[in-house]
């Protein structure tokens, strides 16, 4: 797929554009490196440094990525120019890496009209600062449940990246490439962006309309259309679960036929599979939000905390309360 520039490309002799990459503790290396390499290659194609960048962090000095690779920072959170672009690089335990100082700095810089983006989980930081209210955004699929619960004013998308005005977000991983190829296409034209993609052996360029997760058949390793439809309905109805009999009816099967499909392909009943989906969402909410256990239970379709706790213990061999306590004291990995 080739790119289409969304505005006229600037001339190659134009003034350099500066990106300020703000690295958060335990940031995801792949997301950061993918973005940076796009800029490097664009410069190579032009034969000059059209893009320049600097690495910033709250404390300065050095910072570790989630791979425990240490990076030397160029600067702390300094005052920026209006034509700078801020790129926040998030990763593991982004809530812990989000300080009041960082949020205040972001709000101050945003008031200047700067373009601000977030890679991987950094959309959380932007939303916490109020920069995504009323805007379309995306975040890694593993963080979507908790994000939706905490930031109701954000129009959350499941796409690989999102651009809404001067706010940009990505889902993490290689989606940084897709976002930065689009930015390069807008600045320098699609020929340069496609050359960069070709250099990276990146032959399936995605747009902001592409979903970040694999399709249900690919994820579960089963290509049965009616089974896929039922699983999609389950995933879309966690807070208010639909009975297996109604699910079967909606896809033109009997309850017994649906049972057979799940047993044959997934080695479990529809009820058990649905329960596992709900418990997985509950675990994400317990580990990523400050929601009470009662509210987590309700958000995942459990009528009472006691029933929720019983099901959670049976599946994870611990209680929701202990899960949250152990996560709060766990050293980031």
């Amino acid at each position: 797929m080739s790119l289409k520039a969304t505005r006229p490309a600037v001339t190659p002799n134009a003034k350099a554009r500066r990106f300020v990459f703000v690295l958060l503790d335990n940031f995801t290396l792949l997301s950061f490196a993918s973005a940076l390499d796009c800029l490097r290659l664009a410069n190579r194609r032009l034969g000059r440094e059209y893009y320049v960048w600097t690495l910033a962090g709250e404390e300065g000095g050095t910072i570790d990525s989630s791979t425990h690779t240490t990076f030397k920072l160029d600067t702390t959170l300094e005052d920026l120019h209006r034509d700078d672009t801020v790129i926040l690089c998030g990763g593991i335990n982004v809530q812990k890496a989000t300080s009041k100082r960082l949020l205040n700095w972001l709000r101050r810089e945003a008031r200047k009209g700067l373009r601000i983006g977030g890679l991987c989980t950094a959309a959380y930081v932007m939303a916490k600062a109020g920069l995504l209210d009323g805007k379309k955004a995306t975040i890694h699929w593993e963080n979507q449940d908790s994000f939706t619960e905490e930031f109701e004013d954000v129009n959350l998308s499941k796409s690989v990246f999102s651009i809404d005005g001067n706010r940009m977000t990505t889902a993490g991983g290689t989606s940084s490439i897709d976002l930065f190829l689009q930015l390069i296409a807008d600045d320098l034209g699609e020929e340069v962006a496609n050359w960069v993609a070709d250099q990276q052996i990146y032959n399936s360029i995605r747009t902001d309309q592409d979903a970040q997760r694999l399709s249900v058949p690919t994820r579960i390793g089963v290509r049965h259309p009616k089974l896929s439809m039922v699983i999609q309905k389950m995933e879309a109805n966690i807070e208010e679960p639909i009975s297996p009999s109604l699910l079967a009816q909606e896809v033109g099967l009997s309850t017994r036929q649906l049972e057979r499909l799940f047993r044959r392909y997934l080695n479990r009943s529809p009820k058990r599979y649905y329960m596992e989906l709900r418990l997985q969402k509950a675990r994400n909410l317990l580990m990523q939000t400050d929601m009470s256990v009662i509210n987590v239970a309700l958000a995942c379709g459990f009528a009472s905390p006691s029933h929720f706790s019983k099901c959670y213990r049976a599946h994870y061999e611990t209680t929701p309360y202990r899960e949250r306590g152990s996560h709060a004291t766990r050293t980031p990995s």
Side-chain angles (χ1 to χ4, degrees):
M1 181 186 299
S2 62
L3 289 152
K4 297 293 184 183
T6 56
R7 61 177 182 270
V10 300
T11 61
N13 295 321
K15 180 183 175 183
R17 286 186 177 274
R18 187 171 85 130
F19 283 78
V20 179
F21 288 91
V22 180
L23 307 183
L24 307 183
D25 193 35
N26 280 301
F27 70 95
T28 302
L29 184 56
L30 177 59
S31 293
F32 163 66
S34 297
L36 196 60
D37 207 48
C38 285
L39 302 181
R40 177 190 70 83
L41 285 167
N43 286 345
R44 179 183 164 196
R45 179 67 177 85
L46 294 178
R48 73 178 186 92
E49 288 193 340
Y50 174 72
Y51 292 113
V52 295
W53 53 83
T54 187
L55 306 186
E58 187 172 347
E59 301 298 333
T62 62
I63 197 164
D64 288 344
S65 72
S66 58
T67 64
H68 306 298
T69 307
T70 301
F71 285 79
K72 184 179 183 299
L73 299 173
D74 301 313
T75 183
T76 57
L77 302 179
E78 61 181 14
D79 289 337
L80 303 179
H81 301 293
R82 288 191 62 179
D83 54 355
D84 287 338
T85 298
V86 175
I87 300 293
L88 298 159
C89 301
I92 296 173
N93 289 344
V94 66
Q95 294 91 339
K96 185 177 180 181
T98 305
S99 67
K100 288 184 179 179
R101 181 186 174 194
L102 174 61
L103 294 175
N104 289 335
W105 177 81
L106 269 178
R107 293 175 185 128
R108 185 178 73 243
E109 297 305 318
R111 285 194 288 271
K112 298 178 183 177
L114 269 71
R115 187 168 60 168
I116 299 175
L119 308 184
C120 195
T121 60
Y124 172 88
V125 187
M126 295 173 66
K128 195 74 174 177
L131 306 188
L132 296 179
D133 289 352
K135 292 187 176 294
K136 185 179 179 181
T138 191
I139 196 170
H140 191 280
W141 61 264
E142 195 173 41
N143 300 82
Q144 292 217 341
D145 291 335
S146 57
F147 190 96
T148 301
E149 293 290 341
E150 188 166 354
F151 304 111
E152 296 180 354
D153 293 333
V154 180
N155 180 16
L156 190 64
S157 162
K158 295 184 178 180
S159 59
V160 290
F161 72 86
S162 179
I163 301 176
D164 190 338
N166 57 0
R167 301 291 178 260
M168 307 170 290
T169 49
T170 77
T174 58
S175 63
S176 296
I177 297 178
D178 303 293
L179 170 63
F180 274 73
L181 288 176
Q182 184 61 66
L183 298 181
I184 291 168
D186 291 345
D187 287 343
L188 303 170
E190 61 181 287
E191 186 275 331
V192 175
N194 289 333
W195 184 91
V196 170
D198 211 24
Q199 286 292 312
Q200 294 175 317
I201 321 296
Y202 199 71
N203 55 16
S204 296
I205 303 172
R206 297 169 294 184
T207 73
D208 57 359
Q209 301 301 310
D210 288 302
Q212 55 182 274
R213 295 204 71 184
L214 297 172
S215 66
V216 169
T218 304
R219 271 191 280 134
I220 65 175
V222 176
R223 296 193 176 278
H224 191 291
K226 291 191 175 181
L227 181 61
S228 297
M229 289 170 62
V230 169
I231 291 174
Q232 286 173 344
K233 290 178 182 294
M234 288 178 171
E235 291 178 345
N237 293 275
I238 299 293
E239 189 169 349
E240 297 181 5
I242 305 172
S243 69
S245 59
L246 187 55
L247 286 169
Q249 182 180 336
E250 289 182 355
V251 297
L253 295 172
S254 68
T255 304
R256 180 166 295 191
Q257 286 173 320
L258 185 63
E259 288 273 352
R260 287 174 180 166
L261 275 178
F262 270 84
R263 292 289 182 189
R264 177 182 176 186
Y265 291 109
L266 299 171
N267 198 31
R268 51 176 57 79
S269 68
K271 184 178 179 181
R272 180 72 249 169
Y273 188 89
Y274 210 165
M275 176 64 72
E276 290 173 0
L277 288 178
R278 293 161 59 199
L279 290 172
Q280 179 60 61
K281 176 177 179 177
R283 189 167 188 267
N284 286 342
L285 293 178
L286 287 169
M287 296 173 70
Q288 298 173 12
T289 73
D290 294 324
M291 291 173 63
S292 69
V293 172
I294 293 175
N295 285 337
V296 169
L298 293 173
C300 298
F302 293 93
S304 69
S306 59
H307 182 225
F308 170 51
S309 186
K310 179 181 178 181
C311 295
Y312 199 94
R313 180 196 285 270
H315 189 64
Y316 290 115
E317 298 183 346
T318 188
T319 67
Y321 298 93
R322 288 176 181 167
E323 183 82 88
R324 168 158 286 168
S326 65
H327 179 71
T329 58
R330 190 178 302 149
T331 302
S333 57

